[in-house]
Amino acid sequence: MEFETIVTDIIQRTPEVKSFRFKRPESFHYDPVEVIFVAMLINGHKAIKYFTISRSPTENEYLEFTKKITDHEFSVGLDHLHPGDRAYLNGPLGEFTFKGEYPKIALITGGIGITPFRSIIKFCTDTTIPSNIVLLYGNRNEQSIVFREELDNLEKMNHNLKVVHSLSHPSDAWKGRRGHVDIRLIQDEIPDYADRVFYVCGPPALVTDLEKAIRTLNIPDDRIKSESFPGY
């Protein structure tokens, strides 16, 4: 479905990350974690990139994607958007989805890779899907955790959800896990890893490293689902 819409709101999630919200047509439907193409005019030419929809399908008042702002031309263009500006969207599409197909899943990511998992967790919580979910989420410090308060609230609401943050450069006051998301963290926090389907998302290098770590646990490839985020 291709349509023209307007920016309704822009939310500063962390010092480097923003969420962009758009008016959603009533006829637009999607599954958790599907992606959407976004087209804008940048320096006089039309540029098109795709982003994961970070809102759950249960939140039907608007569409949202969440992006780390970089010095890439497209990212700079996004950073200059304002409420009321027009955009052109096309979608949804993608196969990196979850709607309750498995009784136990592990979601593993770092940084902006949280966006599809926010959608999954919110969807499962809103629809009372009984699947057991463990999220391992790595970041540099407390200020870089995207959706931190929301994840805390969802964990309180959903007794099937466990959220584990691990920070590589936390403050002295941090009481959670320290270090990168690695095989040791997986073994410590997901002792029943052999029973789970793994979803891995993030920058290509992170996804590659996590896939290698998971395979050392003798998890077969058909139980590892991954998606890499481009750097634009």
Side-chain angles (χ1 to χ4, degrees):
M1 178 179 178
E2 187 172 4
F3 57 96
E4 179 181 345
T5 185
I6 62 170
V7 179
T8 60
D9 200 10
I10 299 172
I11 301 169
Q12 192 82 45
R13 298 291 185 183
T14 74
E16 296 182 314
V17 174
K18 290 183 176 182
S19 289
F20 299 85
R21 291 179 175 176
F22 302 87
K23 188 175 180 180
R24 174 183 176 179
E26 291 184 5
S27 57
F28 186 90
H29 303 285
Y30 63 97
D31 291 330
V33 199
E34 287 194 298
V35 303
I36 191 166
F37 282 90
V38 179
M40 304 187 309
L41 285 177
I42 298 179
N43 296 329
H45 66 273
K46 190 176 183 179
I48 303 175
K49 304 294 181 183
Y50 73 88
F51 298 95
T52 300
I53 302 171
S54 53
R55 297 282 286 181
S56 163
T58 55
E59 303 169 287
N60 57 17
E61 63 272 29
Y62 48 80
L63 293 169
E64 176 185 292
F65 68 85
T66 301
K67 172 78 173 71
K68 181 178 180 179
I69 303 302
T70 68
D71 59 1
H72 190 281
E73 183 182 46
F74 194 89
S75 186
V76 172
L78 285 175
D79 198 30
H80 285 86
L81 284 178
H82 297 91
D85 287 348
R86 295 190 177 278
Y88 302 87
L89 308 184
N90 190 3
L93 66 151
E95 299 179 356
F96 187 72
T97 63
F98 178 73
K99 296 183 290 181
E101 298 92 326
Y102 310 110
K104 291 184 176 183
I105 61 172
L107 311 178
I108 306 182
T109 190
I112 195 60
I114 190 61
T115 56
F117 297 154
R118 186 269 176 203
S119 178
I120 286 177
I121 291 170
K122 178 64 173 169
F123 178 79
C124 290
T125 302
D126 287 347
T127 57
T128 64
I129 287 175
S131 298
N132 185 272
I133 303 171
V134 178
L135 169 67
L136 303 186
Y137 185 21
N139 279 286
R140 178 176 176 81
N141 53 40
E142 294 94 321
Q143 293 72 38
S144 60
I145 302 174
V146 185
F147 302 121
R148 180 180 180 181
E149 183 176 348
E150 186 169 0
L151 290 171
D152 289 345
N153 290 334
L154 287 168
E155 188 176 26
K156 294 174 183 176
M157 295 168 59
N158 187 345
H159 69 275
N160 291 313
L161 172 63
K162 174 183 176 182
V163 177
V164 179
H165 297 285
S166 189
L167 304 182
S168 59
H169 295 80
S171 70
D172 292 340
W174 178 249
K175 300 184 184 301
R177 298 290 305 230
R178 295 171 180 259
H180 296 286
V181 177
D182 55 16
I183 188 170
R184 179 180 175 183
L185 184 67
I186 294 172
Q187 291 174 312
D188 286 351
E189 299 292 347
I190 315 177
D192 60 348
Y193 58 81
D195 300 329
R196 294 183 182 266
V197 174
F198 283 77
Y199 284 75
V200 182
C201 186
L206 174 67
V207 170
T208 298
D209 289 346
L210 288 174
E211 286 178 329
K212 289 179 180 178
I214 294 167
R215 289 191 179 100
T216 66
L217 299 173
N218 296 317
I219 304 297
D221 285 350
D222 63 356
R223 296 179 69 86
I224 304 173
K225 303 180 183 297
S226 63
E227 183 168 282
S228 297
F229 276 13
Y232 51 69

